[in-house]
Amino acid sequence: MKFALSPEHLDFGASIRKLFESGSTAAAVRAWSAGDPAPGRTLIEQLAAAGALGLTVTEEFGGLGAEPLDQIVAFVEVGRAAAPGPLVESAAAVPALLQALAASDPEPAQRWLPGISEGTLSATVGFAGRGGRAVAVDADRVDLVLVTDGERLSTGRVGEPVRSVDPARRLFVVEADELIAEGPQVVEASAAGFDSGALANAAQLLGAGTALLDASTDYVKQRKQFGRPIGEFQAIKQKLADVFIGLDLAEPMLYRAALTTATPNRARDTSAAAVACADAAYRAARAALQVHGAIGYTAEYDLSLWLTRVTALRSAWGTPDLHRGRVADALRAGPAADPSGALT
Amino acid sequence: MDLDLDDSTREFQREVREFLAANVPAQPLPSMDTEAGFEAHRAWERTLAEARLSVVSWPREFGGRDASLLEWVLFEQEYYAASAPGRVSQNGIFLLAPTLFEHGTPEQLERIMPRMARGDDIWAQAWSEPEAGSDLAGIRSTARRTDGGWVLSGQKTWSSRAAFADWAFGLFRSDPAAERHRGLTYLMFPLDAEGVTVRPIPQLDGEPGFAEIFLDDVFVPDTDVIGAPNEGWRVAMSTSSNERGLSLRSPGRFSATAQRLIDLWTAGADTGTAARDAVVDAWIGSEAYRLHTFGTVTRLNEGGKLGAESSITKVFWSELDISMHETALDLLGAEAEEASRWTDGYLFSLSGPIYAGTNEIQRNIIAERLLGLPRGSSR
Ligand SMILES: Cc1cc2nc3c(=O)[nH]c(=O)nc-3n(C[C@H](O)[C@H](O)[C@H](O)COP(=O)(O)OP(=O)(O)OC[C@H]3O[C@@H](n4cnc5c(N)ncnc54)[C@H](O)[C@@H]3O)c2cc1C
């Protein structure tokens, strides 16, 4: 039993953080929203060069064959930086989906995953929910659009734009174009893709929440009112302490979910992590805005990039209601067989 | 990173599970806050001690079995899952014992620990005073030097189980001229000593769960000083994070409550999404705390220390405990008013944000020591 990130994980996370800190990520996010993807693409290329995009692609398909936990470490940093682009889709959801499908048909995985791992091919995916409409992020800027309604997997045709609350998330309705596969194996593959995306998304939320807490802490130490730093006031302290508690207790839920992706508890643990990380990030966003006062409410100030991102990501990969429902189903079904003694 | 257990740990877990299955009383014991219940719980401590399961993490020579921190966490998990009786010895085992292991003399360890392990002596914590709650350094009870020892005077209060306990430990002002946090001495005294008067105080549930202790020139020999005289604050603080963090409130307790809540929910009619969400959040909270604890165990095993971090979990578990019980009362509907294990648990959970350092104080500690916010004028 060793339930903590290893020095290798910490180094890997630090290297990705550095990558985002050295470029001007905030400017890239703004450019991405405003219609200029070039700075964002540069960032994505650097991420690919750091090996962050092909982490969970097996060596067979040109990736690194790393553990889901490595991917989580990377996505916490993606979230901390509020980086733009279809990263969850390209690096987590599509690889998981195509690799699960490869058990019955390896061709799509062979065709697309090596490019994704290298960073030469970007992908997005839309899951058709109730009402049949599928929406995919950055569908106009990627090389591959996938659409699944759970039973059929197709390439997607880009339709109407849909405005996201986060301007850096460029959403489009996508419609099924050419059929890739259908049947029970697609049901399973779509579920694997969705869970992988939801978990990477939860990691992003945790990273974004941490960035919001850091920004808040820095701000309240230097902003003065009544002749004192506002961080001296107990109302501010107690609020930020609660943010810290929420993030600190959400983190192990995320790690556990990364450790159980290959078990029957995958959906339960992914959803539990999604709920815990979304709640913690949301609390961080609310507190951050409050302690910043009016400046936090402006689009000019960079804090807004995280505030709208957290709002969007909270429901982008399943609403809190959907995830709580999935946990509830698992709890009603009774305790599942747990692979590790510590968990029973 | 993994959550896997090695064979010997699994074996320990199995032994504990089997012992509890065979020995946990079928009927819950009467409340330990009554005289009869207190003695019944003392007898249970002896049963545990005979199986060397009363203080698993202690050294063997004092009645333990040198269990690792991980084994201790798993022991607690099994213990609560089996609905085993509450630990009437907990203040001694979890609050005093770590202090003595760190600061006690060999004579003290030999004299005190085996009796504590068997429940022969049950200990009360005598820290709080009427004028010194959150501001513990404001204590006024005094220890006056005399031949071969000290003379204690003053008043302690809110002392859990002191109504029936045998001994108490607490801080006394030994140098009135010194600065507030200095000049305090950490001492132990028998609750039946000459000059000690214990007045039970009924808690919200009506039982005498705590007591005030009046000390009127009580003699205590030098051998009952913990650590050096006038160094009491430092001695007491070196282990006080135990109370908030790991040891007093092991995650097993909350996992067990979450499971009972799930059982209550699944046994009932479909109660809609509000109740569903509350049950799910209870489970997520209990899992978060449990997994967080495995992280803490890993950190401690690698040489880390438990410091201000225990304030994080203190606030978290105390609020979780209340919300789980509130959810249970909601699920019980019209029956919620009827006294039950859930209402008992609910009333007790309400004290969580108060004892072991109030949650307001813990949040200040988090903000100042972990987030580095300025201290300001509040404290
Ligand atoms: C069930 C139970 C069991 C207990 N068992 C024991 C025991 O065995 N031994 C023992 O010694 N004590 C025990 N206590 C006492 C406990 O430690 C104290 O109640 C606690 O330290 C708070 O002190 P107080 O009650 O005097 O409240 P006060 O310190 O008077 O606080 C009252 C309120 O003011 C707030 N407050 C105070 N200072 C600040 C500040 N600086 N900033 C913000 N808010 C502040 C507090 O958070 C609280 O909300 C027990 C208490 C309970 C409820």
Side-chain angles (χ1 to χ4, degrees), chain A residues 234, chain B residues 91 125-128 133-134 157-160 203 210 351 354-356 358 360-361 364 378-379:
Chain A
Q234 210 167 59
Chain B
N91 281 350
Q125 182 193 33
W127 283 25
S128 304
S134 300
T157 191
W158 314 134
S159 184
S160 294
Q203 295 184 339
F210 35 45
S351 67
I354 300 172
Y355 68 79
T358 69
E360 287 74 22
I361 298 293
N364 287 346
S378 64
R379 286 190 308 127

PDB file of all heavy atoms in Angstrom, chain A residues 234, chain B residues 91 125-128 133-134 157-160 203 210 351 354-356 358 360-361 364 378-379, ligand 1:
ATOM      1  N   GLN A 234     -11.193  37.277   9.203  1.00  0.00           N
ATOM      2  CA  GLN A 234     -11.575  35.885   9.397  1.00  0.00           C
ATOM      3  C   GLN A 234     -12.600  35.382   8.375  1.00  0.00           C
ATOM      4  O   GLN A 234     -12.572  34.219   7.993  1.00  0.00           O
ATOM      5  CB  GLN A 234     -12.112  35.719  10.804  1.00  0.00           C
ATOM      6  CG  GLN A 234     -11.847  34.330  11.303  1.00  0.00           C
ATOM      7  CD  GLN A 234     -12.080  34.262  12.782  1.00  0.00           C
ATOM      8  OE1 GLN A 234     -13.161  34.530  13.272  1.00  0.00           O
ATOM      9  NE2 GLN A 234     -11.056  33.908  13.503  1.00  0.00           N
TER      10      GLN A 234
ATOM     11  N   ASN B  91      -9.831   8.248  25.423  1.00  0.00           N
ATOM     12  CA  ASN B  91      -9.010   9.419  25.758  1.00  0.00           C
ATOM     13  C   ASN B  91      -7.624   9.016  26.242  1.00  0.00           C
ATOM     14  O   ASN B  91      -6.641   9.669  25.938  1.00  0.00           O
ATOM     15  CB  ASN B  91      -9.704  10.274  26.826  1.00  0.00           C
ATOM     16  CG  ASN B  91     -10.794  11.136  26.229  1.00  0.00           C
ATOM     17  OD1 ASN B  91     -10.900  11.237  25.008  1.00  0.00           O
ATOM     18  ND2 ASN B  91     -11.601  11.735  27.079  1.00  0.00           N
ATOM     19  N   GLN B 125      -9.636  13.472  30.005  1.00  0.00           N
ATOM     20  CA  GLN B 125      -8.798  14.602  29.610  1.00  0.00           C
ATOM     21  C   GLN B 125      -9.309  15.849  30.341  1.00  0.00           C
ATOM     22  O   GLN B 125     -10.458  16.250  30.149  1.00  0.00           O
ATOM     23  CB  GLN B 125      -8.902  14.810  28.099  1.00  0.00           C
ATOM     24  CG  GLN B 125      -8.035  15.937  27.571  1.00  0.00           C
ATOM     25  CD  GLN B 125      -8.398  16.316  26.150  1.00  0.00           C
ATOM     26  OE1 GLN B 125      -9.557  16.229  25.760  1.00  0.00           O
ATOM     27  NE2 GLN B 125      -7.420  16.705  25.355  1.00  0.00           N
ATOM     28  N   ALA B 126      -8.463  16.455  31.155  1.00  0.00           N
ATOM     29  CA  ALA B 126      -8.875  17.633  31.919  1.00  0.00           C
ATOM     30  C   ALA B 126      -8.111  18.853  31.404  1.00  0.00           C
ATOM     31  O   ALA B 126      -7.217  19.369  32.067  1.00  0.00           O
ATOM     32  CB  ALA B 126      -8.626  17.417  33.409  1.00  0.00           C
ATOM     33  N   TRP B 127      -8.475  19.265  30.209  1.00  0.00           N
ATOM     34  CA  TRP B 127      -7.822  20.433  29.600  1.00  0.00           C
ATOM     35  C   TRP B 127      -8.665  21.689  29.800  1.00  0.00           C
ATOM     36  O   TRP B 127      -8.209  22.684  30.309  1.00  0.00           O
ATOM     37  CB  TRP B 127      -7.600  20.198  28.088  1.00  0.00           C
ATOM     38  CG  TRP B 127      -6.447  19.296  27.785  1.00  0.00           C
ATOM     39  CD1 TRP B 127      -5.914  18.346  28.608  1.00  0.00           C
ATOM     40  CD2 TRP B 127      -5.669  19.282  26.580  1.00  0.00           C
ATOM     41  NE1 TRP B 127      -4.854  17.719  27.972  1.00  0.00           N
ATOM     42  CE2 TRP B 127      -4.685  18.278  26.730  1.00  0.00           C
ATOM     43  CE3 TRP B 127      -5.704  19.991  25.392  1.00  0.00           C
ATOM     44  CZ2 TRP B 127      -3.752  17.987  25.735  1.00  0.00           C
ATOM     45  CZ3 TRP B 127      -4.786  19.710  24.396  1.00  0.00           C
ATOM     46  CH2 TRP B 127      -3.804  18.714  24.559  1.00  0.00           C
ATOM     47  N   SER B 128      -9.946  21.616  29.364  1.00  0.00           N
ATOM     48  CA  SER B 128     -10.761  22.833  29.340  1.00  0.00           C
ATOM     49  C   SER B 128     -11.065  23.339  30.742  1.00  0.00           C
ATOM     50  O   SER B 128     -11.150  22.569  31.705  1.00  0.00           O
ATOM     51  CB  SER B 128     -12.086  22.550  28.637  1.00  0.00           C
ATOM     52  OG  SER B 128     -11.861  22.044  27.351  1.00  0.00           O
ATOM     53  N   GLY B 133     -11.430  27.849  26.848  1.00  0.00           N
ATOM     54  CA  GLY B 133     -11.921  26.851  25.893  1.00  0.00           C
ATOM     55  C   GLY B 133     -11.021  26.881  24.677  1.00  0.00           C
ATOM     56  O   GLY B 133      -9.930  26.305  24.687  1.00  0.00           O
ATOM     57  N   SER B 134     -11.447  27.615  23.650  1.00  0.00           N
ATOM     58  CA  SER B 134     -10.593  27.767  22.466  1.00  0.00           C
ATOM     59  C   SER B 134      -9.247  28.353  22.854  1.00  0.00           C
ATOM     60  O   SER B 134      -8.214  27.984  22.312  1.00  0.00           O
ATOM     61  CB  SER B 134     -11.270  28.689  21.454  1.00  0.00           C
ATOM     62  OG  SER B 134     -12.498  28.144  21.073  1.00  0.00           O
ATOM     63  N   THR B 157     -13.347  21.601  33.301  1.00  0.00           N
ATOM     64  CA  THR B 157     -14.742  21.324  32.917  1.00  0.00           C
ATOM     65  C   THR B 157     -14.822  20.602  31.568  1.00  0.00           C
ATOM     66  O   THR B 157     -13.806  20.444  30.891  1.00  0.00           O
ATOM     67  CB  THR B 157     -15.567  22.633  32.897  1.00  0.00           C
ATOM     68  OG1 THR B 157     -16.947  22.301  32.769  1.00  0.00           O
ATOM     69  CG2 THR B 157     -15.158  23.511  31.732  1.00  0.00           C
ATOM     70  N   TRP B 158     -16.012  20.179  31.225  1.00  0.00           N
ATOM     71  CA  TRP B 158     -16.306  19.455  29.968  1.00  0.00           C
ATOM     72  C   TRP B 158     -15.428  18.226  29.819  1.00  0.00           C
ATOM     73  O   TRP B 158     -15.042  17.869  28.712  1.00  0.00           O
ATOM     74  CB  TRP B 158     -16.115  20.338  28.731  1.00  0.00           C
ATOM     75  CG  TRP B 158     -16.697  21.709  28.809  1.00  0.00           C
ATOM     76  CD1 TRP B 158     -16.074  22.856  28.441  1.00  0.00           C
ATOM     77  CD2 TRP B 158     -18.023  22.084  29.232  1.00  0.00           C
ATOM     78  NE1 TRP B 158     -16.918  23.931  28.637  1.00  0.00           N
ATOM     79  CE2 TRP B 158     -18.117  23.478  29.126  1.00  0.00           C
ATOM     80  CE3 TRP B 158     -19.123  21.382  29.719  1.00  0.00           C
ATOM     81  CZ2 TRP B 158     -19.259  24.189  29.482  1.00  0.00           C
ATOM     82  CZ3 TRP B 158     -20.259  22.088  30.078  1.00  0.00           C
ATOM     83  CH2 TRP B 158     -20.323  23.470  29.946  1.00  0.00           C
ATOM     84  N   SER B 159     -15.107  17.582  30.896  1.00  0.00           N
ATOM     85  CA  SER B 159     -14.190  16.453  30.815  1.00  0.00           C
ATOM     86  C   SER B 159     -14.988  15.170  30.536  1.00  0.00           C
ATOM     87  O   SER B 159     -15.747  14.710  31.392  1.00  0.00           O
ATOM     88  CB  SER B 159     -13.416  16.336  32.131  1.00  0.00           C
ATOM     89  OG  SER B 159     -12.461  15.319  32.025  1.00  0.00           O
ATOM     90  N   SER B 160     -14.804  14.635  29.320  1.00  0.00           N
ATOM     91  CA  SER B 160     -15.591  13.471  28.886  1.00  0.00           C
ATOM     92  C   SER B 160     -15.354  12.275  29.793  1.00  0.00           C
ATOM     93  O   SER B 160     -14.211  11.910  30.064  1.00  0.00           O
ATOM     94  CB  SER B 160     -15.229  13.077  27.458  1.00  0.00           C
ATOM     95  OG  SER B 160     -15.613  14.083  26.571  1.00  0.00           O
ATOM     96  N   GLN B 203     -25.371  15.686  29.191  1.00  0.00           N
ATOM     97  CA  GLN B 203     -25.245  16.256  27.842  1.00  0.00           C
ATOM     98  C   GLN B 203     -26.629  16.348  27.204  1.00  0.00           C
ATOM     99  O   GLN B 203     -27.642  16.052  27.821  1.00  0.00           O
ATOM    100  CB  GLN B 203     -24.307  15.393  27.007  1.00  0.00           C
ATOM    101  CG  GLN B 203     -22.880  15.409  27.550  1.00  0.00           C
ATOM    102  CD  GLN B 203     -21.904  14.635  26.697  1.00  0.00           C
ATOM    103  OE1 GLN B 203     -22.305  13.769  25.907  1.00  0.00           O
ATOM    104  NE2 GLN B 203     -20.636  14.921  26.845  1.00  0.00           N
ATOM    105  N   PHE B 210     -20.187  14.338  30.367  1.00  0.00           N
ATOM    106  CA  PHE B 210     -18.976  14.964  30.876  1.00  0.00           C
ATOM    107  C   PHE B 210     -19.188  15.483  32.288  1.00  0.00           C
ATOM    108  O   PHE B 210     -20.271  15.320  32.861  1.00  0.00           O
ATOM    109  CB  PHE B 210     -18.327  15.999  29.968  1.00  0.00           C
ATOM    110  CG  PHE B 210     -19.130  16.903  29.108  1.00  0.00           C
ATOM    111  CD1 PHE B 210     -20.263  17.578  29.534  1.00  0.00           C
ATOM    112  CD2 PHE B 210     -18.694  17.135  27.805  1.00  0.00           C
ATOM    113  CE1 PHE B 210     -20.930  18.462  28.706  1.00  0.00           C
ATOM    114  CE2 PHE B 210     -19.364  18.024  26.974  1.00  0.00           C
ATOM    115  CZ  PHE B 210     -20.489  18.685  27.430  1.00  0.00           C
ATOM    116  N   SER B 351     -21.721  17.660  18.371  1.00  0.00           N
ATOM    117  CA  SER B 351     -20.608  18.170  19.174  1.00  0.00           C
ATOM    118  C   SER B 351     -19.290  18.162  18.390  1.00  0.00           C
ATOM    119  O   SER B 351     -18.311  18.786  18.805  1.00  0.00           O
ATOM    120  CB  SER B 351     -20.458  17.340  20.458  1.00  0.00           C
ATOM    121  OG  SER B 351     -20.055  16.015  20.150  1.00  0.00           O
ATOM    122  N   ILE B 354     -17.340  21.229  17.742  1.00  0.00           N
ATOM    123  CA  ILE B 354     -16.951  21.967  18.955  1.00  0.00           C
ATOM    124  C   ILE B 354     -15.712  21.355  19.619  1.00  0.00           C
ATOM    125  O   ILE B 354     -14.751  22.047  19.924  1.00  0.00           O
ATOM    126  CB  ILE B 354     -18.110  21.994  19.983  1.00  0.00           C
ATOM    127  CG1 ILE B 354     -19.337  22.671  19.372  1.00  0.00           C
ATOM    128  CG2 ILE B 354     -17.671  22.722  21.258  1.00  0.00           C
ATOM    129  CD1 ILE B 354     -20.589  22.565  20.235  1.00  0.00           C
ATOM    130  N   TYR B 355     -15.746  20.025  19.848  1.00  0.00           N
ATOM    131  CA  TYR B 355     -14.617  19.466  20.618  1.00  0.00           C
ATOM    132  C   TYR B 355     -13.400  19.265  19.728  1.00  0.00           C
ATOM    133  O   TYR B 355     -13.483  19.430  18.515  1.00  0.00           O
ATOM    134  CB  TYR B 355     -15.014  18.167  21.330  1.00  0.00           C
ATOM    135  CG  TYR B 355     -15.309  16.973  20.459  1.00  0.00           C
ATOM    136  CD1 TYR B 355     -14.285  16.206  19.914  1.00  0.00           C
ATOM    137  CD2 TYR B 355     -16.619  16.587  20.209  1.00  0.00           C
ATOM    138  CE1 TYR B 355     -14.549  15.099  19.133  1.00  0.00           C
ATOM    139  CE2 TYR B 355     -16.896  15.478  19.428  1.00  0.00           C
ATOM    140  CZ  TYR B 355     -15.855  14.741  18.884  1.00  0.00           C
ATOM    141  OH  TYR B 355     -16.125  13.662  18.111  1.00  0.00           O
ATOM    142  N   ALA B 356     -12.295  18.927  20.367  1.00  0.00           N
ATOM    143  CA  ALA B 356     -11.012  18.752  19.669  1.00  0.00           C
ATOM    144  C   ALA B 356     -10.595  20.036  18.956  1.00  0.00           C
ATOM    145  O   ALA B 356      -9.908  19.996  17.947  1.00  0.00           O
ATOM    146  CB  ALA B 356     -11.071  17.575  18.688  1.00  0.00           C
ATOM    147  N   THR B 358     -12.497  23.899  18.086  1.00  0.00           N
ATOM    148  CA  THR B 358     -13.683  24.168  17.258  1.00  0.00           C
ATOM    149  C   THR B 358     -13.284  24.322  15.786  1.00  0.00           C
ATOM    150  O   THR B 358     -12.129  24.602  15.464  1.00  0.00           O
ATOM    151  CB  THR B 358     -14.409  25.463  17.697  1.00  0.00           C
ATOM    152  OG1 THR B 358     -13.583  26.584  17.368  1.00  0.00           O
ATOM    153  CG2 THR B 358     -14.736  25.444  19.183  1.00  0.00           C
ATOM    154  N   GLU B 360     -14.023  26.648  13.791  1.00  0.00           N
ATOM    155  CA  GLU B 360     -13.564  28.002  13.458  1.00  0.00           C
ATOM    156  C   GLU B 360     -12.048  28.105  13.699  1.00  0.00           C
ATOM    157  O   GLU B 360     -11.309  28.653  12.879  1.00  0.00           O
ATOM    158  CB  GLU B 360     -14.292  29.055  14.306  1.00  0.00           C
ATOM    159  CG  GLU B 360     -15.750  29.279  13.914  1.00  0.00           C
ATOM    160  CD  GLU B 360     -16.669  28.147  14.353  1.00  0.00           C
ATOM    161  OE1 GLU B 360     -16.316  27.398  15.290  1.00  0.00           O
ATOM    162  OE2 GLU B 360     -17.751  27.992  13.748  1.00  0.00           O
ATOM    163  N   ILE B 361     -11.641  27.560  14.835  1.00  0.00           N
ATOM    164  CA  ILE B 361     -10.211  27.611  15.156  1.00  0.00           C
ATOM    165  C   ILE B 361      -9.416  26.788  14.134  1.00  0.00           C
ATOM    166  O   ILE B 361      -8.347  27.200  13.678  1.00  0.00           O
ATOM    167  CB  ILE B 361      -9.965  27.074  16.591  1.00  0.00           C
ATOM    168  CG1 ILE B 361     -10.701  27.951  17.620  1.00  0.00           C
ATOM    169  CG2 ILE B 361      -8.485  26.982  16.892  1.00  0.00           C
ATOM    170  CD1 ILE B 361     -10.184  29.360  17.759  1.00  0.00           C
ATOM    171  N   ASN B 364      -8.988  28.720  10.979  1.00  0.00           N
ATOM    172  CA  ASN B 364      -7.950  29.747  11.122  1.00  0.00           C
ATOM    173  C   ASN B 364      -6.563  29.125  10.991  1.00  0.00           C
ATOM    174  O   ASN B 364      -5.671  29.703  10.365  1.00  0.00           O
ATOM    175  CB  ASN B 364      -8.066  30.437  12.489  1.00  0.00           C
ATOM    176  CG  ASN B 364      -9.260  31.371  12.561  1.00  0.00           C
ATOM    177  OD1 ASN B 364      -9.868  31.712  11.535  1.00  0.00           O
ATOM    178  ND2 ASN B 364      -9.614  31.787  13.758  1.00  0.00           N
ATOM    179  N   SER B 378      -7.028  38.724  15.326  1.00  0.00           N
ATOM    180  CA  SER B 378      -8.034  37.865  15.947  1.00  0.00           C
ATOM    181  C   SER B 378      -7.420  36.926  16.964  1.00  0.00           C
ATOM    182  O   SER B 378      -8.071  36.543  17.934  1.00  0.00           O
ATOM    183  CB  SER B 378      -8.778  37.060  14.884  1.00  0.00           C
ATOM    184  OG  SER B 378      -7.890  36.173  14.227  1.00  0.00           O
ATOM    185  N   ARG B 379      -6.173  36.532  16.742  1.00  0.00           N
ATOM    186  CA  ARG B 379      -5.591  35.612  17.705  1.00  0.00           C
ATOM    187  C   ARG B 379      -4.145  35.985  17.933  1.00  0.00           C
ATOM    188  O   ARG B 379      -3.495  36.480  17.051  1.00  0.00           O
ATOM    189  CB  ARG B 379      -5.680  34.169  17.195  1.00  0.00           C
ATOM    190  CG  ARG B 379      -7.095  33.636  17.275  1.00  0.00           C
ATOM    191  CD  ARG B 379      -7.151  32.146  17.012  1.00  0.00           C
ATOM    192  NE  ARG B 379      -6.479  31.760  15.790  1.00  0.00           N
ATOM    193  CZ  ARG B 379      -5.545  30.828  15.725  1.00  0.00           C
ATOM    194  NH1 ARG B 379      -5.159  30.190  16.785  1.00  0.00           N
ATOM    195  NH2 ARG B 379      -4.995  30.509  14.571  1.00  0.00           N
TER     196      ARG B 379
HETATM  197  C1  LIG C   1     -18.817  16.426  23.497  1.00  0.00           C
HETATM  198  C2  LIG C   1     -17.679  17.199  24.048  1.00  0.00           C
HETATM  199  C3  LIG C   1     -16.675  16.556  24.708  1.00  0.00           C
HETATM  200  C4  LIG C   1     -15.616  17.262  25.261  1.00  0.00           C
HETATM  201  N1  LIG C   1     -14.672  16.575  25.950  1.00  0.00           N
HETATM  202  C5  LIG C   1     -13.677  17.264  26.545  1.00  0.00           C
HETATM  203  C6  LIG C   1     -12.728  16.578  27.360  1.00  0.00           C
HETATM  204  O1  LIG C   1     -12.786  15.366  27.518  1.00  0.00           O
HETATM  205  N2  LIG C   1     -11.754  17.288  27.960  1.00  0.00           N
HETATM  206  C7  LIG C   1     -11.648  18.631  27.811  1.00  0.00           C
HETATM  207  O2  LIG C   1     -10.728  19.208  28.342  1.00  0.00           O
HETATM  208  N3  LIG C   1     -12.529  19.330  27.046  1.00  0.00           N
HETATM  209  C8  LIG C   1     -13.550  18.674  26.423  1.00  0.00           C
HETATM  210  N4  LIG C   1     -14.469  19.353  25.662  1.00  0.00           N
HETATM  211  C9  LIG C   1     -14.381  20.816  25.579  1.00  0.00           C
HETATM  212  C10 LIG C   1     -13.893  21.347  24.243  1.00  0.00           C
HETATM  213  O3  LIG C   1     -12.546  21.107  24.074  1.00  0.00           O
HETATM  214  C11 LIG C   1     -14.246  22.845  24.201  1.00  0.00           C
HETATM  215  O4  LIG C   1     -15.650  22.935  24.179  1.00  0.00           O
HETATM  216  C12 LIG C   1     -13.680  23.572  23.012  1.00  0.00           C
HETATM  217  O5  LIG C   1     -12.293  23.718  23.127  1.00  0.00           O
HETATM  218  C13 LIG C   1     -14.318  24.937  22.829  1.00  0.00           C
HETATM  219  O6  LIG C   1     -14.267  25.701  23.996  1.00  0.00           O
HETATM  220  P1  LIG C   1     -15.573  26.385  24.589  1.00  0.00           P
HETATM  221  O7  LIG C   1     -16.629  25.371  24.651  1.00  0.00           O
HETATM  222  O8  LIG C   1     -15.186  27.068  25.815  1.00  0.00           O
HETATM  223  O9  LIG C   1     -16.021  27.447  23.495  1.00  0.00           O
HETATM  224  P2  LIG C   1     -15.408  28.915  23.266  1.00  0.00           P
HETATM  225  O10 LIG C   1     -13.924  28.820  23.152  1.00  0.00           O
HETATM  226  O11 LIG C   1     -15.984  29.866  24.247  1.00  0.00           O
HETATM  227  O12 LIG C   1     -15.979  29.224  21.816  1.00  0.00           O
HETATM  228  C14 LIG C   1     -17.333  29.624  21.583  1.00  0.00           C
HETATM  229  C15 LIG C   1     -17.477  29.956  20.103  1.00  0.00           C
HETATM  230  O13 LIG C   1     -16.584  31.031  19.756  1.00  0.00           O
HETATM  231  C16 LIG C   1     -15.751  30.636  18.688  1.00  0.00           C
HETATM  232  N5  LIG C   1     -14.425  31.225  18.829  1.00  0.00           N
HETATM  233  C17 LIG C   1     -13.639  31.288  19.921  1.00  0.00           C
HETATM  234  N6  LIG C   1     -12.463  31.856  19.624  1.00  0.00           N
HETATM  235  C18 LIG C   1     -12.490  32.153  18.309  1.00  0.00           C
HETATM  236  C19 LIG C   1     -11.570  32.739  17.384  1.00  0.00           C
HETATM  237  N7  LIG C   1     -10.351  33.116  17.741  1.00  0.00           N
HETATM  238  N8  LIG C   1     -11.967  32.845  16.111  1.00  0.00           N
HETATM  239  C20 LIG C   1     -13.197  32.446  15.702  1.00  0.00           C
HETATM  240  N9  LIG C   1     -14.086  31.896  16.501  1.00  0.00           N
HETATM  241  C21 LIG C   1     -13.739  31.738  17.797  1.00  0.00           C
HETATM  242  C22 LIG C   1     -15.681  29.141  18.795  1.00  0.00           C
HETATM  243  O14 LIG C   1     -15.330  28.553  17.546  1.00  0.00           O
HETATM  244  C23 LIG C   1     -17.088  28.776  19.210  1.00  0.00           C
HETATM  245  O15 LIG C   1     -17.900  28.747  18.083  1.00  0.00           O
HETATM  246  C24 LIG C   1     -15.546  18.673  25.109  1.00  0.00           C
HETATM  247  C25 LIG C   1     -16.553  19.335  24.414  1.00  0.00           C
HETATM  248  C26 LIG C   1     -17.611  18.620  23.890  1.00  0.00           C
HETATM  249  C27 LIG C   1     -18.690  19.382  23.175  1.00  0.00           C
END
